[in-house]
RNA sequence: GCCGCUGUGGUGAAAUGGUAAACACAGCAGACUUAAAAUCUGCUGGGAUAACAUCCCUUGUCGGUUCGAGUCCGACCAGCGGCACCA
């Protein structure tokens, strides 16, 4: 290895170089080039010539970035460094490591930017990806770039469209498993029946239409009645849309979380989002009308306390049952409710509103007539859009009943001392006929049986989760592989994939719900009788399966080769990816969607595990130096490029890991960056010395081929042990502090034992790979037999010697009544009795015992003695 | 309102129920230097005291379990995040 000398002192470069504590700006790009040229992190697949089937696999995944024009922010390298350390460590520990990177590049921001600048999104997307790739390469991440994926690449979205066709041509059977639609065809079901069961289906339901963005949005993309992207107003309007039947998997999406190593908080977030609740459907006859209303309730035991009924204002039964004299009031109320945005509807939630329909329902348990109201506190989209109101034991019903002076009837006896009005917890049934005296849980069971016997209702489970609105009226997304003919839709043949979007000069939204693809009249026309679907898929589509594509990114025959999928996604656990690191912002959306698609592919036999991600870790947000969230408007944004320029990639990597626990929210500190930078410089100076005048670095004469003394050996082996354990636990901050301790010990030694330092560099290399490789190469120039030949990243993680950790003497603490009173160094082998005798003999101990006899003596060998008097 | 997470020095933080504050930042002092920067060495939770001897206090608050609690249990307070008329 040739060593590039520093620039001579007379050049202007010199002052620049001299400021740096070590010449990272020279060797960091050098090693990045070297890794790339030698494909140091190329990962062979099963079947490849250089594949070693005897090694276990480790699939470590980052949430791939959306390549924006702003470039990387400091949050990206946080998770990416964590996975890089793990990946490099696992590689050194004998694993076949899959650690890839790619781009989630379809979607609204790119298109909004394109519209603003007039540039085609394909061009801006390419530029942004170039920028991101360059930035990531400058951080020295050990990706296999041959596996890079890009969701906007036809070779990629071909398979996104292919998976959509699988969803389109599948249904869920009685056992809750996805099966091919051909099974239904074989049963002779009609076209309409089949279409109503597809996992991808057409719906005319009201959707979130955002005029400003010119598209509909999924419920999840609407926050407080405004679009998540841009914060524009969103209105409800009925439109013909593609939906994905994720609700058919609601129960499995809850149940199958159990086998995963995910943070409990994220599992809870998903469970709450899916929102399972158990209850019953109860059917009420409408008095003097040929109509019935079915309600969903979680408290069927309170049926005797139902004193009125509420149906959602937009419910279709309203017109059918409303009394003529109420028609005007109902129409007026519906107008008011309809004009409210979702935001207003939540803001005005405090004050209950509603209108009496003039109709009555008959309570099946006692045949009492109860009034039917409409009110916007009942949602059309949840349950049946109708409720039985039990004001005595439901907070909302109680508020409503109080406002409109409706009767309140107690049917639950709360524990002594509690007010029954508005009591919503469990108690004992009263005023409830055959339920009287039963505790809530039993009353629920009894009424369910009763309802079922009479054919009036039955136990049901309800979910908050809605089906996934999957179409967008935008240009920059995957076109649907669907054509329309005579009012019917069907999938295009797989041989016609990928279906490219048309090349449009004008890709702006039309300003109407008509998608921009409608402008490409030639493209739209599929045949004389058929036209193409004009919607595109949402941004989430591409990220639902990208982890699978990494396993076999170049495959042109299949979305992922069978053998590659079995190897990288297999391993005997429910989830295939061994470690997935990313931000909490994707806790529900992306992670739920990806799990849903994966289960469909699993049921249909295309993948070998029921879950995509076995272990999930969320990195915490990095705040600005002021403790506030980083944002342009606050001016507290830290640009990773600036940090790399000033302190180097290794310092950035190390600082991001040293800040604190990975999962914690933590503020940035430039002083902290300087701290780890100084640490790296100290490591550098273990090996190198700088000539005072010329500034040229050369190998330190203190570096010698001698064995390390006992104290240094201990520090080194403790570091090997602790770093290995801490990397597995993702406790990078404590691993780094241990390396600092070790370095401080080496710094204090007159002679630097070269082979011990090489071992230390192996431990350091996953964290600061450039510096470690450079120093190893420098050492190799003088001690070729001591240094690692080739890349440190290809070397084997050192094993520690437990014997080296043991000291001859340990400090033992003497306590009296739990308070520290004396310390003594004793031989490691000292027996319990010997230590106890020493403690009792201590004058300090005796002083605090005040002559009293010891009631109890606790001895923890090697640790402490506690004397209780 | 409901659910979850977090509360430790001036700051980021560390601590299998066993010496609270490792490691780093900031600060102070010293060495080197004509000087500064860099580097190296030392000190650095609060209080009492002449004392670097010694004692007392200290992990959001209050209780409990234990020989011993930052750690386990209970109640409360504060901050952050999620959901929010979900029947």
């Amino acid at each position: 290895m040739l060593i590039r000398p520093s620039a001579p002192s007379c050049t202007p470069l010199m002052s620049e170089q001299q400021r740096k504590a070590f010449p990272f700006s020279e060797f960091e790009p050098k090693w990045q080039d070297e890794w790339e040229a030698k494909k140091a992190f190329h990962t062979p697949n099963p079947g490849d010539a250089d594949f070693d089937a005897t090694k276990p696999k480790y699939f470590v995944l980052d949430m791939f970035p959306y390549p924006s024009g702003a470039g990387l922010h400091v949050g990206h390298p946080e998770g990416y460094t964590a996975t890089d350390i793990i990946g490099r460590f696992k590689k050194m520990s004998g694993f076949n490591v899959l650690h890839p990177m790619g781009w989630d590049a379809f979607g609204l921001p790119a298109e909004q930017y394109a519209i603003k600048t007039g540039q085609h999104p394909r061009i801006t997307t390419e530029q942004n990806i170039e920028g991101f790739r360059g930035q990531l390469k400058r951080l020295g991440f050990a990706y296999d770039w041959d596996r890079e994926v890009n969701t906007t690449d036809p070779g990629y979205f071909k398979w996104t469209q292919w998976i959509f066709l699988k969803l389109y041509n599948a249904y869920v059977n009685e056992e809750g498993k996805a099966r091919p639609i051909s099974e239904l065809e074989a049963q002779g079901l009609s076209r309409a029946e089949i279409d109503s069961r597809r996992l991808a289906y057409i719906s005319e339901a009201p959707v979130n239409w955002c005029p400003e963005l010119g598209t509909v949005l999924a419920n999840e993309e609407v926050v407080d009645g405004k679009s998540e992207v841009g914060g524009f107003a969103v209105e409800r309007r009925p439109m013909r849309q593609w939906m994905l039947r994720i609700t058919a998997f609601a129960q499995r999406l809850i149940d199958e979380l159990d086998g995963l190593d995910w943070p409990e908080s994220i599992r809870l977030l998903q469970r709450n989002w899916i929102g399972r609740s158990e209850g019953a459907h109860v059917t009420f006859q409408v008095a003097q009308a040929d109509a019935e209303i079915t309600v969903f309730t979680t408290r069927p035991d309170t049926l005797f306390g139902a004193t009125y009924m509420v149906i959602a204002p937009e419910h279709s039964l309203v017109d059918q049952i409303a009394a003529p004299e109420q028609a005007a009031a109902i129409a007026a109320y519906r107008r008011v409710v309809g004009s409210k945005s979702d935001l207003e509807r939540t803001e005005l939630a405090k004050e209950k509103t509603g209108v009496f329909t003039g109709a009555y329902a008959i309570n099946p348990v006692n045949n009492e007539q109860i009034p039917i109201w409409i009110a916007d506190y009942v949602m059309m989209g949840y349950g049946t859009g109708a409720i039985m109101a039990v004001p005595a034991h439901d907070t909302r019903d109680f508020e409503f009943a109080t406002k409109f002076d409706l009767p309140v009837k107690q049917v639950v006896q709360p524990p002594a001392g509690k007010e029954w009005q508005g009591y919503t917890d469990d108690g004992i049934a009263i005023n409830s006929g055959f339920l009287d005296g039963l505790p809530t849980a039993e009353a629920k069971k009894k009424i369910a049986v009763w309802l079922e016997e009479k054919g009036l209702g039955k136990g049901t489970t309800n979910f908050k989760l809605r089906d996934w609105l999957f179409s967008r009226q935008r240009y920059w997304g995957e076109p649907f592989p669907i054509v329309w003919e005579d009012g019917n839709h069907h999938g295009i043949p797989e041989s016609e994939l990928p279906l490219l979007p048309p090349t449009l000069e004008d890709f702006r939204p039309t300003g109407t719900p008509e998608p921009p693809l409608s402008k490409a009249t030639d493209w739209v026309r599929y045949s004389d009788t058929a036209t193409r679907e004009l919607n595109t898929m949402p941004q989430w589509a591409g990220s639902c399966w990208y982890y699978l594509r990494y396993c076999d990114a170049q495959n042109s025959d299949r979305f992922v080769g069978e053998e590659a999928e079995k190897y990288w996604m297999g391993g005997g656990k429910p989830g295939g990816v061994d470690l997935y690191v990313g931000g909490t912002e994707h806790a529900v959306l992306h992670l739920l969607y990806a799990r849903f698609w994966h289960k469909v592919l699993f049921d249909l036999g295309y993948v070998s595990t029921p879950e995509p991600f076995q272990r999930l870790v969320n990195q915490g947000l990095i705040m600005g130096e002021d403790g506030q969230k980083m944002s342009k408007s606050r001016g507290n944004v830290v640009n990773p490029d600036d940090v790399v320029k000033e302190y180097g990639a290794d310092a950035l990597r190390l600082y991001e890991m040293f800040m604190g626990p990975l999962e914690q929210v933590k503020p940035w500190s430039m002083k902290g960056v300087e701290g780890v930078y100084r640490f790296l410089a100290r490591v550098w100076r273990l090996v190198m010395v700088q000539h005072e005048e010329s500034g040229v670095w050369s190998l330190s004469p203190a570096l010698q081929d001698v064995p390390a003394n006992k104290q240094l050996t201990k520090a080194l082996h403790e570091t090997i042990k602790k770093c290995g354990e801490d990397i597995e636990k993702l406790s990078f901050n404590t691993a780094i502090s241990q390396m600092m301790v070790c370095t401080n010990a080496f710094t204090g030694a007159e002679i630097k034992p070269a082979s011990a330092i090489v071992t230390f560099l192996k431990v350091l290399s996953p964290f600061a790979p450039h510096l470690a490789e450079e120093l190893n190469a420098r050492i190799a120039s003088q001690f070729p037999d001591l240094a690692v030949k080739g890349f440190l990243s290809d070397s084997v993680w050192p094993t520690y010697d437990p014997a080296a950790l043991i000291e001859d003497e340990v400090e033992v603490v003497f306590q009296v009544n739990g308070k520290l009173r004396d310390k003594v160094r004793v031989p490691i082998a000292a027996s319990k009795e010997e230590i106890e005798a020493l403690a009792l003999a201590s004058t300090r101990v005796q002083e605090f015992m005040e002559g009293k006899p010891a009631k109890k003596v606790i001895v923890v060998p090697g640790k402490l003695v506690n004397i209780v008097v």
Side-chain angles (χ1 to χ4, degrees):
Chain A
M1 178 75 46
L2 271 173
I3 292 158
R4 199 185 303 174
S6 293
S9 57
C10 53
T11 63
L13 203 72
M14 186 56 210
S15 59
E16 178 75 9
Q17 287 300 329
Q18 218 165 22
R19 273 204 355 235
K20 297 192 166 87
F22 60 104
F24 61 84
S25 53
E26 292 172 26
F27 66 72
E28 286 187 349
K30 184 186 77 179
W31 287 103
Q32 287 155 15
D33 293 348
E34 195 100 358
W35 291 325
E36 186 159 348
K38 299 218 171 111
K39 289 200 179 254
F41 303 108
H42 168 71
T43 304
N45 259 5
D48 290 353
D50 47 350
F51 178 74
D52 182 352
T54 63
K55 290 182 174 181
K57 66 99 184 182
Y58 196 83
F59 186 175
V60 52
L61 181 69
D62 296 292
M63 288 186 184
F64 66 165
Y66 183 86
S68 72
L72 232 51
H73 57 79
V74 290
H76 287 115
E78 190 190 13
Y80 297 168
T81 304
T83 54
D84 197 56
I85 292 168
I86 280 268
R88 286 170 175 271
F89 170 71
K90 288 285 179 183
K91 180 179 160 81
M92 292 173 79
S93 306
F95 286 77
N96 285 326
V97 172
L98 181 56
H99 184 215
M101 185 41 74
W103 320 106
D104 185 18
F106 269 135
L108 271 176
E111 193 169 345
Q112 291 297 101
Y113 182 76
I115 289 166
K116 215 163 58 189
T117 60
Q119 287 243 58
H120 194 280
R122 181 160 297 285
I123 295 169
T124 52
T125 299
E126 274 311 317
Q127 287 169 349
N128 292 348
I129 288 177
E130 279 298 311
F132 263 62
R133 195 192 292 114
Q135 283 185 299
L136 291 179
K137 284 192 175 174
R138 286 195 288 281
L139 293 174
F141 294 130
Y143 299 128
D144 180 357
W145 284 106
D146 290 345
R147 295 171 183 266
E148 180 179 350
V149 302
N150 173 353
T151 56
T152 66
D153 178 356
Y156 182 90
F157 69 71
K158 170 182 178 175
W159 300 107
T160 311
Q161 292 169 331
W162 179 85
I163 295 171
F164 176 82
L165 286 177
K166 295 297 150 199
L167 288 155
Y168 176 74
N169 287 314
Y171 77 106
V172 167
N173 70 8
E174 292 68 29
E175 287 145 37
K177 295 261 193 304
R179 303 298 308 158
I181 211 88
S182 55
E183 288 183 0
L184 295 181
E185 286 163 1
Q187 289 169 28
L189 264 65
S190 72
R191 159 105 219 181
E193 285 169 319
I194 289 174
D195 282 352
S196 73
R197 296 188 62 179
R198 292 178 188 275
L199 291 185
Y201 65 96
I202 286 285
S203 159
E204 291 276 355
V207 295
N208 306 300
W209 167 253
C210 177
E212 196 71 31
L213 292 172
T215 185
V216 301
L217 299 168
N219 288 331
E220 296 86 320
E221 291 169 316
V222 181
V223 178
D224 292 337
K226 291 179 179 166
S227 64
E228 196 181 17
V229 176
F232 303 116
V234 172
E235 56 192 57
R236 303 283 289 175
R237 64 152 83 185
M239 280 171 67
R240 198 197 71 194
Q241 297 295 329
W242 284 97
M243 309 287 288
L244 296 188
R245 204 179 301 280
I246 190 171
T247 51
F249 291 80
Q251 190 62 52
R252 278 169 73 189
L253 287 168
I254 291 176
D255 293 343
E256 291 167 28
L257 282 169
D258 288 348
L260 303 179
D261 306 319
W262 285 24
E264 191 49 40
S265 59
I266 300 297
R267 292 199 279 193
L268 248 145
L269 236 46
Q270 291 220 343
R271 282 198 206 100
N272 290 344
W273 188 267
I274 298 166
R276 180 193 154 99
S277 63
E278 296 209 43
H281 279 153
V282 183
T283 302
F284 288 66
Q285 198 63 137
V286 180
Q288 285 127 34
D290 183 20
E292 48 187 33
I293 300 172
T294 299
V295 302
F296 173 73
T297 175
T298 55
R299 292 298 298 272
D301 60 300
T302 61
L303 189 46
F304 285 87
T307 55
Y308 65 100
M309 190 174 235
V310 184
I311 57 181
E314 50 281 56
H315 201 292
S316 57
L317 267 176
V318 174
D319 293 324
Q320 205 181 321
I321 62 166
E325 65 274 17
Q326 289 298 96
I330 290 170
Y333 183 67
R334 283 176 143 183
R335 259 199 309 281
V336 172
V337 170
S339 69
K340 279 188 204 169
S341 69
D342 280 10
L343 179 60
E344 288 167 325
R345 215 163 148 161
T346 34
E347 268 180 353
L348 299 171
K350 290 143 211 151
E351 190 71 1
K352 292 274 179 296
T353 59
V355 171
F356 179 44
T357 61
Y360 290 85
I362 299 163
N363 188 336
V365 284
N366 52 18
N367 291 319
E368 275 175 22
Q369 295 213 356
I370 57 174
I372 303 171
W373 288 63
I374 58 171
D376 67 352
Y377 84 91
V378 171
M379 311 282 144
M380 195 55 230
Y382 184 75
T384 60
I387 63 155
M388 62 176 213
V390 185
H393 307 295
D394 181 282
T395 315
R396 296 148 301 175
D397 296 345
F398 186 67
E399 282 170 21
F400 192 83
T402 308
K403 175 151 182 203
F404 292 101
D405 220 7
L406 291 156
V408 179
K409 182 184 164 193
Q410 184 189 9
V411 289
V412 176
Q413 183 67 51
K418 291 238 168 121
E419 172 63 40
W420 65 267
Q421 294 213 15
Y423 178 78
T424 58
D425 290 332
D426 288 5
I428 306 292
I430 58 164
N431 303 327
S432 294
F434 59 90
L435 298 178
D436 280 353
L438 292 177
T440 299
E442 281 167 46
K444 279 181 180 173
K445 278 184 212 147
K446 187 157 183 182
I447 188 77
V449 171
W450 187 88
L451 286 166
E452 199 143 355
E453 275 171 3
K454 306 261 168 181
L456 295 167
K458 62 188 278 195
T460 318
T461 303
N462 212 354
F463 296 94
K464 273 201 290 188
L465 184 71
R466 317 289 163 80
D467 276 339
W468 176 9
L469 174 69
F470 195 67
S471 41
R472 299 291 184 275
Q473 292 69 51
R474 299 303 297 231
Y475 172 68
W476 196 231
E478 301 88 346
F480 280 74
I482 293 286
V483 294
W484 290 81
E485 193 165 18
D486 303 328
N488 280 324
H489 44 76
H490 42 86
I492 61 173
E494 285 178 18
S495 59
E496 291 178 22
L497 300 181
L499 169 60
L500 303 175
T503 30
L504 273 184
E505 280 299 311
D506 176 16
F507 43 82
R508 286 172 304 171
T510 58
T512 70
E514 184 82 338
L517 292 189
S518 64
K519 296 177 189 173
T521 44
D522 288 348
W523 182 88
V524 169
R525 197 182 144 86
Y526 180 71
S527 70
D528 287 346
T529 51
T531 59
R532 289 193 191 279
E533 168 66 46
L534 300 177
N535 284 300
T536 52
M537 298 187 200
Q539 198 191 332
W540 308 107
S543 60
C544 269
W545 72 283
Y546 73 110
Y547 56 96
L548 291 169
R549 189 65 182 165
Y550 282 140
C551 297
D552 199 8
Q554 316 278 1
N555 196 323
S556 53
D557 301 326
R558 208 168 181 277
F559 73 115
V560 54
E562 276 180 272
E563 208 186 342
E565 191 279 330
K566 276 205 177 65
Y567 181 72
W568 292 115
M569 294 296 290
K573 292 195 171 153
V577 174
D578 295 280
L579 175 65
Y580 193 21
V581 177
T584 339
E585 66 272 22
H586 296 114
V588 275
L589 308 182
H590 159 65
L591 288 172
L592 207 57
Y593 295 155
R595 293 180 63 216
F596 161 48
W597 278 34
H598 196 89
K599 286 184 190 306
V600 174
L601 292 172
F602 173 68
D603 287 353
L604 297 177
Y606 292 107
V607 297
S608 43
T609 60
E611 283 284 336
F613 315 119
Q614 183 59 35
R615 183 179 177 199
L616 175 75
V617 172
N618 292 116
Q619 86 258 27
L621 206 63
I622 296 181
M623 313 298 266
E625 205 127 11
D626 53 2
Q628 301 280 87
K629 209 166 168 170
M630 280 196 196
S631 75
K632 262 190 209 145
S633 57
R634 284 203 190 85
N636 59 355
V637 177
V638 177
N639 181 347
D641 283 344
D642 297 342
V643 180
V644 170
K645 197 160 170 247
E646 192 87 4
Y647 303 102
D650 284 337
L652 174 68
R653 294 169 56 113
L654 212 64
Y655 173 65
E656 296 225 4
M657 296 299 99
F658 187 60
M659 292 171 84
L662 182 65
E663 299 180 69
Q664 197 163 298
V665 178
K666 43 212 177 269
W668 187 267
S669 155
M670 265 319 174
K671 287 288 182 191
V673 182
E674 280 176 34
V676 294
Y677 174 70
R678 277 201 285 266
F679 159 67
L680 291 174
R682 269 205 309 281
V683 174
W684 175 261
R685 289 194 309 267
L686 290 178
V687 177
M688 306 300 294
V689 284
Q690 188 165 32
H691 189 271
E692 269 182 48
E693 276 115 60
S694 71
V696 172
W697 289 97
S698 57
L699 221 55
S700 165
L703 188 74
Q704 290 174 25
D705 180 8
V706 293
N709 66 26
K710 196 167 164 69
Q711 180 230 338
L712 287 184
T713 306
K714 180 168 182 264
L716 178 66
H717 284 254
E718 270 171 350
T719 303
I720 298 168
K721 178 171 192 281
K722 184 155 177 61
C723 288
E725 291 166 355
D726 285 355
I727 291 172
E728 296 274 4
K729 289 189 289 186
L730 308 188
S731 296
F732 303 113
N733 54 332
T734 52
I736 293 166
S737 78
Q738 179 59 41
M739 289 190 284
M740 287 172 169
V741 171
C742 187
T743 302
N744 291 345
F746 277 117
T747 300
E750 289 281 318
I751 307 290
K752 321 292 182 198
S755 70
I757 284 180
V758 170
T759 304
F760 173 76
L761 291 176
K762 287 184 191 171
V763 177
L764 178 66
S765 68
F767 297 83
H770 309 88
L771 177 74
E773 293 284 7
E774 178 70 13
L775 288 178
N776 177 64
R778 299 264 188 165
I779 293 171
S781 69
Q782 188 170 333
F783 304 98
D785 296 335
L786 299 182
V788 167
K789 289 162 193 70
F791 294 125
L792 271 183
S793 58
D794 288 327
S795 69
V796 174
W797 183 262
T799 45
Y800 67 91
D801 175 8
L805 305 181
I806 296 165
E807 293 222 56
D808 301 336
E809 281 193 332
V810 281
E811 192 177 57
V812 170
V813 175
F814 297 157
Q815 296 179 336
V816 178
N817 288 336
K819 282 195 198 288
L820 175 70
R821 295 305 179 191
D822 204 359
K823 302 172 185 183
V824 150
R825 290 193 70 84
V826 299
I828 187 83
S831 71
K832 261 189 156 184
E833 291 70 23
E834 285 169 328
I835 300 170
E836 183 175 337
L838 274 172
L840 289 166
S842 154
T843 51
R844 296 257 317 131
V845 167
Q846 280 171 4
E847 205 176 300
F848 282 90
M849 285 173 72
E850 294 168 338
K852 290 176 223 158
K855 266 194 242 163
K856 195 169 178 182
V857 179
I858 288 113
V859 182
V860 183
K863 278 276 181 195
L864 60 71
V865 179
N866 188 13
I867 298 161
V868 187
V869 295

